[in-house]
Structure formats: structure tokens, C-alpha cells
């Protein structure tokens, strides 16, 4: 008799566990959502957003997130959200994730209503868009790593080619019923730091903080595919700075970002 392999715990299941956060809604971190000795940063960011988005009814759309990766997160995770200020059109919400070793993630989320404006601008250079993946030749990571929950073509990074830029189509393999903003936060951090494309060996790297700006009201794409682009524009003294962007299947810019990444090489 053949026994079907058990699916990894989906992002939606973990978001449901988190609910509105607090000690009554602990999240049991599965090994399949870790990277090294900590939770995958995209997962912890999505959990922090989940708690923040449930702090009050009828919050406006999320526009911006400031995320600090304070320390490792593992074991039982707890989200705590706090309203910092609620105005007529904008809400600032603080959200933190703690694990078995204490605080691991600190976030400030900005929710804001759209406004009519006479001024618009769009000046982001498009990356090179590979063809949208088909169902052939899709890869996922090993079951003990967060990429087991994702699909992509080839490797997320090819260390044989020195580059300061990484661009890949990425998607979750279990997406049903997901809040699209939680999905976007999760996938926005799904590539390795682009600094890794410049390294000659497997040196340790660690994201320290992340600024993430969502520039559309309703993020959407075909079959879950997001093009993630990351470009290291400066590296020295063990710290690199990278620009990031997320595009959908229609080549529309959905979100922009910036990360500071520590490296030990």
C-alpha cells in the first residue's frame, strides 16, 4: 500500500493559528518554515501583519511596513499588536513576534486610505522578465527548509555566476484562501540576499531590516507567480544594502523594498 506524503503546513494554516495574536493564539513553528536556526523572515513578517490587520475592524489597505529582524525565532511563536495612532485616513500599528528565546521580530505597519491626487510618478526600471514558468521543471526546497512551501524554476541562486542581482519567478504551492497582502509579504522575502551572488564561499549572511512599500490597492497575479528582483547596490564593512521589487504576471510593479544585510566574508 502506498501512503501519500503529508503536505507541509500551509501559510494559511499558520495565519489562522495566529489570528489576532496574543498568548491565546500561539503558532507552533513547523520545521518546514525555517531557515537555519530561525523562522523564515517572510513567514514571521506575514504573521506580524496578520495580528496587526486584526487589531481593529475596517482598517485601510496596508501601504508600508518597517520590519526589523531582531533575533532568531523558533518553537512557539506569539504575535502582539498595538495601535500606535489611528487618524481619519491612516493607522500606525506596531506588531512583534516572540519565540522560545524572546523577541525576534519588530514591525511598524502603516495602513492608509487611497486619496485623489493630481500628482503621479512612475520611475522604476523594469528587470528582465523571464517567461512565466509552466508546470514543467518546477522545483521546491527540501522538507526541512521554507522553500519546500514554494515553487520556482532551477535554483534560487546560481553561485557559479558572480552577480549582484537576483531575479526569479516564485510562488507558494498552497495558496487557497490566502490574504493577498500576507502572501505578498511572505513572497517578497523569498529570494536569498543578492549579496550572496558575489560571495566566493558559503559565508553567513543575515537580513537585519526590511522596508516594504505596497503601491497597489489589490495585489494580484496569475497562478500565484511573483517576479522577485533584488539588487545589491553597495557592500562594505560587513553590511550590504539592496533594493528590491515585486512584479506580477502582467509586468506591473506591485511593491518596492530595501534591505540591510549583514555578511561575514
Amino acid at each position: 500500500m502506498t501512503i501519500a506524503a503529508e503536505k507541509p503546513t500551509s501559510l494559511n494554516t499558520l495565519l489562522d493559528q495566529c489570528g489576532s495574536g496574543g498568548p491565546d493564539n500561539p503558532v507552533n513553528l513547523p520545521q518546514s518554515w525555517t531557515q537555519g536556526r530561525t523562522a523564515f523572515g517572510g513567514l514571521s513578517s506575514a504573521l506580524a501583519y496578520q495580528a496587526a490587520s486584526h487589531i481593529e475592524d475596517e482598517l485601510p489597505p496596508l501601504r508600508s511596513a518597517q520590519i526589523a529582524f531582531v533575533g532568531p525565532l523558533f518553537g512557539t511563536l506569539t504575535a502582539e499588536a498595538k495601535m500606535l495612532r489611528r487618524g481619519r485616513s491612516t493607522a500606525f500599528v506596531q506588531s512583534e513576534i516572540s519565540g522560545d528565546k524572546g523577541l525576534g521580530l519588530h514591525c511598524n505597519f502603516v495602513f492608509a486610505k487611497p486619496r485623489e491626487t493630481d500628482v503621479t510618478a512612475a520611475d522604476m526600471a523594469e528587470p528582465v522578465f523571464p517567461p512565466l514558468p509552466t508546470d514543467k521543471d518546477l522545483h521546491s526546497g527540501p522538507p526541512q527548509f521554507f522553500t519546500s512551501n514554494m515553487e520556482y524554476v532551477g535554483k534560487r541562486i546560481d553561485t557559479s555566476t558572480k552577480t549582484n542581482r537576483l531575479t526569479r519567478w516564485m510562488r507558494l504551492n498552497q495558496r487557497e484562501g490566502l490574504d493577498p497582502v500576507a502572501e505578498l509579504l511572505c513572497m517578497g522575502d523569498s529570494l536569498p540576499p543578492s549579496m550572496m551572488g558575489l560571495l566566493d564561499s558559503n559565508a553567513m549572511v543575515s537580513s537585519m531590516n526590511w522596508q516594504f512599500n505596497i503601491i497597489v490597492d489589490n495585489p494580484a497575479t496569475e497562478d500565484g507567480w511573483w517576479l522577485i528582483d533584488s539588487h545589491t547596490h553597495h557592500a562594505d564593512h560587513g553590511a550590504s544594502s539592496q533594493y528590491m521589487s515585486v512584479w506580477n504576471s502582467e509586468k506591473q510593479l506591485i511593491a518596492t523594498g530595501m534591505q540591510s544585510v549583514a555578511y561575514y566574508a
Side-chain angles (χ1 to χ4, degrees):
M1 180 178 67
T2 301
I3 300 177
E6 185 176 347
K7 284 186 177 181
T9 305
S10 69
L11 174 60
N12 216 17
T13 297
L14 297 176
L15 294 174
D16 285 344
Q17 285 182 24
C18 179
S20 58
D24 293 334
N25 295 289
V27 176
N28 299 312
L29 177 66
Q31 181 70 37
S32 60
W33 277 101
T34 61
Q35 52 180 8
R37 62 192 182 101
T38 187
F40 162 52
L43 169 66
S44 52
S45 300
L47 291 173
Y49 161 76
Q50 169 76 6
S53 67
H54 286 77
I55 196 168
E56 285 187 5
D57 293 335
E58 299 182 2
L59 282 176
L62 181 68
R63 296 296 176 187
S64 185
Q66 297 171 318
I67 300 166
F69 300 104
V70 178
L73 282 170
F74 55 87
T76 301
L77 309 184
T78 304
E80 296 281 357
K82 174 184 177 183
M83 179 66 73
L84 299 178
R85 183 181 184 275
R86 180 72 191 261
R88 286 180 295 179
S89 62
T90 306
F92 287 79
V93 183
Q94 175 184 294
S95 186
E96 296 182 333
I97 306 288
S98 298
D100 289 356
K101 292 294 184 180
L103 179 65
L105 192 82
H106 175 91
C107 304
N108 289 320
F109 292 106
V110 183
F111 300 83
K113 293 179 180 178
R115 294 186 292 271
E116 293 294 329
T117 180
D118 294 327
V119 179
T120 62
D123 191 25
M124 175 70 77
E126 289 189 359
V128 176
F129 284 85
L132 270 173
T134 66
D135 289 338
K136 297 179 180 179
D137 301 323
L138 294 182
H139 295 266
S140 291
Q144 70 275 18
F145 200 64
F146 75 89
T147 50
S148 62
N149 299 281
M150 299 175 184
E151 293 178 322
Y152 43 92
V153 175
K155 299 178 180 180
R156 289 190 309 142
I157 181 171
D158 182 1
T159 55
S160 65
T161 302
K162 291 294 175 283
T163 178
N164 65 338
R165 188 165 198 162
L166 300 179
T167 307
R168 292 286 185 280
W169 288 108
M170 302 284 297
R171 75 176 179 185
L172 286 168
N173 50 28
Q174 297 185 76
R175 311 179 291 280
E176 294 75 14
L178 265 178
D179 179 333
V181 174
E183 179 184 358
L184 193 60
L185 279 165
C186 181
M187 297 309 297
D189 195 37
S190 58
L191 283 185
S194 48
M195 176 67 208
M196 293 182 67
L198 298 173
L199 300 177
D200 293 321
S201 60
N202 291 325
M204 190 174 81
V205 298
S206 178
S207 296
M208 293 187 288
N209 57 36
W210 185 22
Q211 173 76 37
F212 193 67
N213 299 323
I214 299 175
I215 63 172
V216 298
D217 291 338
N218 299 296
T221 194
E222 179 183 343
D223 292 334
W225 288 113
W226 304 101
L227 189 80
I228 317 298
D229 184 63
S230 176
H231 171 212
T232 293
H233 56 94
H234 188 271
D236 198 2
H237 307 297
S240 71
S241 181
Q242 64 181 41
Y243 295 135
M244 305 168 73
S245 57
V246 181
W247 307 73
N248 71 3
S249 55
E250 301 297 320
K251 301 184 180 181
Q252 297 169 328
L253 181 62
I254 302 299
T256 63
M258 187 175 183
Q259 276 194 14
S260 175
V261 179
Y263 65 97
Y264 300 83

